[in-house]
Amino acid sequence: MKKIIIALFVSVLLVGLGSSVEAIDFAGSGCKNGEKYSSTTGQLCLGQGNLPLGCTSPVGYSPLTGQSCGCNGTVYSTYNGQLCPVSNSTPTISGVSGPQSLNVGQQGTWTVTASDPSLGYLSYSVNWGDNLAVPVTGGGYSQTQQQTATFTHVYNRAGNYNPTFTVTNQSGQSAQTSLGIAVTGGMIGDLKVSISGNPLVVPYGGSTTLGWSTSGFVTGNTSCFGTGGNGTWRGAKPIQGAYATSTLYENTTFTITCSNGIGGSSVTDSVTVKVSSLTPSITVLSPNGGETWKIGDTQKIYYSYSGPKATGNFALYREGSTNRCLLGTNLLGTKEFSFDLKNISCGNGEYVSPGRYKVEALALPIDDLNIISAKDESDNYFTIKSQSTTTSTVTVLSPNGGEYWNNGGANKTITYNSKNVGDIFINLVAPESTLNNLIAINSPSGTGIGIMGIGKKGSTSYVWDGTICNSIERPKNGEEIRTGCVLVYPGNYKIHIHATETGTYGSGHEVSDISDALFTISTIDTTTPSVTVLSPNGGEQFMRGNLINTGDFLNYKVKFNSKKVGNLSNFITESNDINNWKFKKYYFVNSGQGFKPWVSDTNIGGVQINNSFNIGNYYLLSIWESQDGLERSHDFSDKSFIITTAKAIPTSPVPSAIESQPIYSTVATCTLNSITLRKGMDTEEVKCLQQMLNSKGYKVLDTSYETTYFGESTTSALKKFQAEMGLTADGILGAKTRAVLLAQ
């Protein structure tokens, strides 16, 4: 499509007659038909057959009234009907002004100046030399001034042009002139977007090919731009080409626009590709009944699917159960779904275990929410078996439904049976109906399942302290390490236990059980907590260091008992008066792991008596405060201990072969990472452990002779440290031992 804008302006300047006018005989008493002057008065006659007031010629307009004198572009006078005079003179073109070089698409303006000796009207026309001729009427009458006409034009093709300007008077006589114009650049042709293929309707998720071209050769600044759809269609495009669309899921309009880039014209065309909606359909092909799967193996579900773009959700459900065991999701189209049949949760603390199952497949359209989803399942049940050659079981015995526990006072005992499994993982489960208003407000994970504890392999019971935790670890043959624990709120719950098989394929299969019915946990015990400082408890002596990283280590131990959420803080104080200790000298030691509920535990730690401490007699003060700040409990050392002057520290290590001789060394600067260290290991971290034990007085080898091997000497030194710190003396560096060691 070609758009051409032509603006035409014709301006005419008229100048009136002189300021004096001949006397006029309005009565016409001495005027005869056709006479110009009255025979009686000698005045200019005015009446039938003569001229209007102020006119001295039938051509033009009266300078007095502005009325036409009768012969302005007509054969007969409009005033008296007489034949108008004919001019015998051709008009004169005195000049043409305007540009003689342009770019394609650039607008030019030209002005033509002309006059007519007969003082009649002039008409104008122009032939631009590109097959476009424009007639223009207009002009004016003037005795002294020339007439002008102004034209604008845009050339859409490069080349040399000679437009011709023509001026014509009322008698039909004309004059012409021309000038040369050089036009450079390209050409904008008509644009048409077409779709190859049949038809312009594609199936849901289908694609097609767009093709476009221009009607002429485009060069220079000409460019095209595609919009609509997605992918690489959007953006700059060549003047012609093809584009394979991406998959289409809705009716899509593609538009291309080409312009010369100079501010001139542009052309646009569009095409819409329609998408036909299809109803989704999915069919489970396998397993479809009679197959056997083994827990721990990688399994595949085979299916067929037709319809719009959709996500497939795959799940298992056991014979006689309404719980769905979600296997995963994928974008439908691959015809198969692979997954590891391992630790698959079925909700409410249950996991996939040996039994009879069906596969359920659900197709959920992605881009069209108005399309109904499709579902299919196995025609018949298939079997899931254990990998193990032995039978592994766990069974909850108590609480198994109907029990009533008061969460306070004595700890509660959970009983169970287990066979051919490892450690027993015990969880507290809230029924789904009470999840939002019960467990969600106090469960660390907010999932409705809280970790209660870990029963040892082969055990038949577990003593529960009334809390659930974010994380519980049990190092081999060690005690539990509990983190992120909170006291359980009153409500109705079930116990869920699960364990891993200890057979050949133990890592791939878990067995589980859950209480048959709900039991009740009653109100929270609000007993005021107690705090007791065990050490230092009086008479001890600690040497102050002369540097920030030297001096004896003051190892403390505090016993406390609490069923409420609170915080434990420790201080070294000069006064043992709870009301005035802050008015004396005191040092902050640490704060006990934030506001968390504690039940009969021991707080162990240490601080180095470096050069920031003053010499004197001091006490250890331990303060517990409830989270709401309404309850407090505290205890001081029974008697004061002494911080005395620093002992000399040798500038070089003092080796010794005698076990009882003290070892002096600088503090170890190595780093212990999170791995567990035990006898028989050979690693740089073992050397770091030996350096730390040596620096704290638990001799492994002579200083500077540490090795990377974890042998009997390292085991013995580590056990001694664990025993003195109140830890399980197993000679293994686990998470809890590492934390205490790094705190010293």
Side-chain angles (χ1 to χ4, degrees), residues 6 29 41 220 287 490 554 565 576 613 677-678:
I6 301 177
S29 57
T41 65
L554 184 155
V565 178
N576 63 349
F613 286 83
L677 300 179
R678 64 184 70 231

Side-chain angles (χ1 to χ4, degrees), residues 182-295:
V183 179
T184 58
M187 148 190 182
I188 299 297
D190 292 334
L191 178 69
K192 182 179 181 181
V193 177
S194 62
I195 300 294
S196 61
N198 181 36
L200 297 184
V201 178
V202 298
Y204 194 98
S207 61
T208 187
T209 300
L210 306 176
W212 73 94
S213 61
T214 57
S215 62
F217 182 70
V218 181
T219 61
N221 294 319
T222 301
S223 62
C224 299
F225 193 87
T227 57
N230 54 24
T232 57
W233 170 253
R234 296 173 176 168
K237 293 282 172 278
I239 61 176
Q240 59 185 10
Y243 170 70
T245 69
S246 58
T247 51
L248 302 175
Y249 301 103
E250 60 183 3
N251 294 346
T252 304
T253 299
F254 297 88
T255 301
I256 191 164
T257 301
C258 294
S259 63
N260 61 8
I262 309 174
S265 60
S266 62
V267 286
T268 298
D269 204 357
S270 301
V271 68
T272 298
V273 181
K274 295 184 178 180
V275 176
S276 61
S277 296
L278 297 178
T279 302
S281 175
I282 190 168
T283 303
V284 176
L285 302 177
S286 174
N288 209 29
E291 298 89 345
T292 298
W293 283 1
K294 288 185 178 181
I295 293 176

